[in-house]
Amino acid sequence: MDILRMRGISKAFDANQVLHNVDFTVAKGEIHALLGENGAGKSTLLNILAGVLPGDTGTITLDGVAYPHPSITQMEKAGVAFVHQELNVINDLTVSENIFFNHELTRGLGILRAQEMISQTRELLESLGVELGPTVKVAELKTSEKQLLEICKALHADAKLLILDEPTTALGNDEIAHLFSILRKLKEDGRALIFVSHKMPEIFEIADSYTVLRNGELISVGAIADVTPERIVRDMVGEQYADKDVYTVRELGEPILQLRGFSGVGFESVNLTVRRGEVVALTGLAGSGASEVMQTMFGALPIIAGQVFVHGDSVHGDIPRFMRRHVGMLPTNRKENSVVPDFSVLDNIMLAEHSLTGSHPVIHRKPELVRFGELKQTLSIRAQSPDDAITSLSGGNQQKVFLARWLNIDADILLLDNPTQGVDVGAKGDIYAQILDLAKAGKTIIINTLEIPEIRKVSDRCVVFYAGHVVAILDHDAINEHDVMLYSTNAAQVGEEEE
Amino acid sequence: MGEPKDVGFVPADIDAELVTDDVDAPEPKSSWRQTASSTWQFVKSSWTNHSYIFVFVVVVIVYAISTTMNGKKFNTGHISSILSSQNTVIVGTMAIGMALVIITGQIDLSIGSALVLTTGVTIVVFNVTNSIPLMILAALGAGAVCGAINGFLAAYVRIPPFIVTLGTMLIYRSITLWAVRAIPREVTGSGSSQFSMLSSNSSYQAMRMTFGTSKLTIGGFEFPYVTMLFLACLILFVFISKSTKYGKAVYAVGSNEKAARLSGVNTQWIKASVFIVTGLLVGVASIIQASKVGNITPASSGRSYEMYAIAAVVLGGIAMSGGRGNILGVLFGALSYATINFIIVSIPALSADIQDTFQGLVLILVIMVQTAGPAIRERFRGRAKAVDAT
């Protein structure tokens, strides 16, 4: 029997159609995997289900009752619980206070019946086999325990349908096993679960059935038992689009950057040699360690073991040491990590150079203006005046300003962490064209991105990370969306094990 | 030289705006209207970027009116007394440091107590050595040490600056209170409650009578020497903040610390250094205190000076959230604050007890105008943008 039936769901944001006529069905007592690449429409669909967003068309039926205009409270009452990727527990309260938050048991005048709430919490936790003390402060819990607490909270509200959005990203293997045993217990109780994950091994371990979305359309539905990981990955990425290839084969120089047994926060024993003029892409799902590798080879995170050689010399220490070796990093999340909002475009560019040349303390404006003119031309930055506020530029143009920040100190190794984040499609192409131009001019470029088609456009090699380890290094001709996805979800391994 | 440059760019921006406006207009606007409109735009943008000057002008006008209403003639003597008042020279000098601390997004509550401690050291060194260079060195050294303790704890031990400087505020004053009783009379130069410059020292005349209390008369206008020292510090730090890499780093740390760190700025050092700089300026202020007043009373002197300095910084248009503001504003902020005092004193009907009420009201009023102004403008701009987007 089906607990949830969503039929003909469509949703558009302005002109952007994110869901086209999608059907989604979940049966009672099953774990249903909802799959798709970033931007496939999964979160929009789930938000419509939870009453967070209104759908444009379509019907939602839960347990036989139709909800034409669902609201968050209505869906909560109906038994839908959404466990978000970022946890919503309150650290300064105890476990039992969190579970009863906003639904506290009271006698008159709002006085709490604390003992009763604690004993009820204990019963709930025991029934699930969760070993947590009801009076423990949540701040003292591990991430995995907080995750379980979120699930307990949902169950306390008597949820019939639990939505788990990538619940395993922050968990270790043992913790995942524990979580899964609890999920199985819930399933036996007859509750339904929607499980969103990118990790193929997990999906094949826990889920009973699946739905794949791609570009807002329903691609396939079925039982996990009838399908292979390769098949699901193919459904997720679709047939190869005929991309216009701007890539050209270039003569590469001498090895300029080497990682040997390189370990840091979130990754282990990475070995990699990069040559002058090469474009190397690092990729992997969130939490795979690719971004951390990049930050560690710029001194922004500590090196735990191993070495990084730049121009043959081992470099360690803080950021300025790497900058002096002509390494520059364009960090992810531009607004948080790159933009100095109160500075002009010129001052934003000059910031890195100023911090290296403090021994000449006085700023001379004329040579800086000349330099600005050159950089503006090289990178075709669209700014009217060097004194324009940085915040007046578009995302793509801001990103060029921050590239200029590094070109200005003659960085010849550029680390670009998710450089096209929040940049519109046109400007993306622009940035990638620029990356190739810089490579042709002898710059060495390492990009961390999740956007596989973009990797194919520019990179000579692609290094795929899974759970902190390099699982594959693919040459340009071997880079395709299907294989990269296969490696980064570790589906390749599942396939081998099944054979 | 940064200042004229800023102002210079404003009309250029306005020209650009006018050009876009003119796209729809069939006839170019007549030149007088253009001039009038760019003058208006210039005034408007000055109001936005340098509103502290307007605040000061308004305050002085009110002062002139209140003086005249009391049957006195407002003259340069009044201006001269504003320039030499305690709130201008001593609080103003320390407020320059406070401005830098606030620009990095921190706060220093200890400067009033640090002034007492540093002045104590300064006077003791003067009394013992009778040497002006050693006295100056002691003042700067003691100030720098006070600041370095704050900076180390705030930036490297990462205790919130509010807490660190609240603690040192208590410590610095109480050490001085203890010292003034423990140190023999011939060294403190006075009884058990005060540090006082020994008039028997041969350098007393030069330090106290010439530098501390005399004025230089330029074209009939009397200009106190101590004010010149304050202005010299101000000009130095206007230059440092606008035209040096260190100055830019201070602003960058306050504007976006993460971005500054990822661009190679040693953010911990910058955050610690502004406290040391503040300490050095407290040292300068204690030289002024010693030579202008001649003594300091640890129990009562310098009380609430940290609050007066914060008020001067805020009246000077520097954002409490950090990253924004002009050191030149401190001059006008300190002058405005000092003038408000004079206004209240000049009205005989008002008791001195009510003085703080007026100062508080003016402070709130000015900040209200400064914050409400941009918010209202932003609302209009937001509407215009929404229309553009559709």
Side-chain angles (χ1 to χ4, degrees), chain A residues 362-373:
Chain A
V362 179
I363 297 168
H364 299 286
R365 187 168 158 85
K366 269 198 186 137
E368 289 198 346
L369 288 179
V370 172
R371 194 85 183 103
F372 173 77

Side-chain angles (χ1 to χ4, degrees), chain B residues 18 68 76 96-97 153 167 172 208 224 269 283 293 306 314 316 319 322 354 374:
Chain B
L18 283 174
T68 321
T76 54
I96 298 169
L153 292 173
Y172 295 158
R208 176 113 170 76
W269 164 243
V293 184
E306 57 284 340
V314 170
I354 210 80

